[in-house]
Amino acid sequence: MNWHIGIISDEISQDFEHAIKVIKELGAEYVEVRNLWNKNVTQLSDSEFSEMVSIVNRYGLRISNLDSFVFKTYLNDEKGYNQHLRTLRRVIELTKKLDINFTRIFTFWYEGELKYYINKIMDRFYNAIEIAESEGVILAVENEHSCMVGNAKDLRFFLDNIKTKWIKVLWDPGNAFVARETPYPYGYELIKDEIIHVHIKDAMVRDGNFVWMPIGKGMIDYKGQLSAIKNKPYVISLETHYRNSNNDAEESTKESFAGLMKILN
């Protein structure tokens, strides 16, 4: 197997078992869990979490990682920050139950150019890194166009400043594109040695607006990007975001998955 392919379940349905069924039918081997049964995975009770795991096991799939919303809050929101640290502790606790070695994290809502905020962000990350180190779980920073670190250039700057082995990269070429970067080859080359997980979604500019597209139908060089990460040990997770004309999440994910498979084949 040259690639480890996953799908984020809520891009199909909030009905978790139905989403798992679809992922199994499509032929992906991993599920990435973010929101299910209309709540974030960190908000599940212990019994709901067990039920989630048993559904995944029943269909013979594997969980690649759990997605919290940690640090999708404002830099100066003290109450939000403390709540997010609690959420981080919870997602790490659940992550360790699954023997997974990383969890996804963000870099606070965008307020301006990163260089003006980097010291404050590093301050805010100090506690998170301390928690990660004590628990032995890596923080995978996702480049998110609505956050302070939106593309690979930002990621590189952030990593060079924060300098810790407890932070790696969740690389999202689609988000980088929307954050006005050429994801491949330019962005990827900046951070390729730090990647621990990948999100795949495609996009284009139509009439001056960014629009999500099925994989292979947008402006991102996924042929180049995917061949560059062939045989890498990490999971490539489909995070469609694209919606067809009927706004049907499941069909849109299937269409995107078909586009991904076409490129991989």
Side-chain angles (χ1 to χ4, degrees):
M1 177 65 181
N2 295 322
W3 290 278
H4 306 285
I5 305 299
I7 299 175
I8 299 181
S9 67
D10 62 54
E11 293 276 336
I12 296 167
S13 174
Q14 287 292 328
D15 176 342
F16 189 66
E17 182 156 7
H18 178 71
I20 292 297
K21 217 182 210 157
V22 172
I23 293 170
K24 180 72 176 174
E25 283 165 7
L26 286 171
E29 51 179 324
Y30 288 89
V31 56
E32 182 167 340
V33 186
R34 182 172 55 196
N35 300 319
L36 63 163
W37 304 318
N38 297 305
K39 52 175 100 168
N40 183 256
V41 65
T42 58
Q43 294 158 335
L44 298 180
S45 67
D46 288 345
S47 64
E48 287 170 327
F49 184 77
S50 300
E51 188 187 342
M52 175 198 92
V53 173
S54 74
I55 291 170
V56 174
N57 291 341
R58 200 156 66 237
Y59 284 86
L61 295 177
R62 292 164 72 183
I63 296 171
S64 63
N65 57 305
L66 305 176
D67 288 339
S68 71
F69 43 83
V70 170
F71 293 167
K72 268 193 168 180
T73 183
Y74 285 103
L75 261 171
N76 293 318
D77 177 357
E78 208 58 46
K79 189 179 169 203
Y81 174 70
N82 289 318
Q83 280 171 344
H84 281 236
L85 284 179
R86 283 194 292 278
T87 301
L88 179 62
R89 285 194 172 90
R90 175 65 174 158
V91 78
I92 284 177
E93 177 196 341
L94 299 175
T95 293
K96 286 175 76 173
K97 280 185 183 178
L98 300 170
D99 287 328
I100 296 167
N101 71 336
F102 75 95
T103 191
R104 186 269 303 272
I105 195 168
F106 294 101
T107 52
F108 303 93
W109 294 127
Y110 184 81
E111 293 182 54
E113 275 187 68
L114 181 60
K115 63 184 175 185
Y116 299 114
Y117 295 88
I118 188 68
N119 291 336
K120 179 73 175 175
I121 293 169
M122 283 163 63
D123 266 3
R124 288 301 206 194
F125 259 81
Y126 180 79
N127 290 324
I129 291 165
E130 213 169 41
I131 294 166
E133 188 170 5
S134 70
E135 297 291 344
V137 172
I138 289 165
L139 304 176
V141 169
E142 177 172 353
N143 60 295
E144 160 67 58
H145 54 89
S146 60
C147 292
M148 294 301 299
V149 170
N151 56 31
K153 191 177 165 203
D154 293 340
L155 278 166
R156 189 69 265 163
F157 182 70
F158 177 74
L159 292 167
D160 289 345
N161 277 275
I162 208 145
K163 291 190 182 77
T164 169
K165 66 174 187 176
W166 295 102
I167 290 187
K168 294 287 182 193
V169 166
L170 194 166
W171 175 228
D172 191 317
N175 284 343
F177 180 80
V178 176
R180 298 179 180 275
E181 181 174 77
T182 303
Y184 184 85
Y186 173 77
Y188 172 72
E189 286 297 326
L190 293 175
I191 46 81
K192 62 183 180 185
D193 296 332
E194 310 292 341
I195 296 171
I196 198 168
H197 190 67
V198 173
H199 280 173
I200 298 275
K201 49 182 176 275
D202 211 344
M204 69 179 294
V205 175
R206 186 191 289 148
D207 301 329
N209 298 308
F210 287 103
V211 183
W212 299 118
M213 298 295 290
I215 305 298
K217 298 274 176 75
M219 292 174 168
I220 297 167
D221 177 10
Y222 270 119
K223 260 193 179 132
Q225 178 65 90
L226 290 163
S227 64
I229 58 180
K230 190 176 176 177
N231 296 321
K232 296 290 185 189
Y234 43 74
V235 174
I236 300 162
S237 259
L238 178 63
E239 184 189 23
T240 319
H241 276 17
Y242 156 75
R243 292 292 177 265
N244 64 14
S245 54
N246 297 326
N247 199 30
D248 184 321
E250 182 179 324
E251 288 307 315
S252 302
T253 294
K254 286 177 175 175
E255 191 184 338
S256 246
F257 191 81
L260 173 59
M261 285 298 113
K262 192 177 168 190
I263 295 170
L264 293 184
N265 291 330

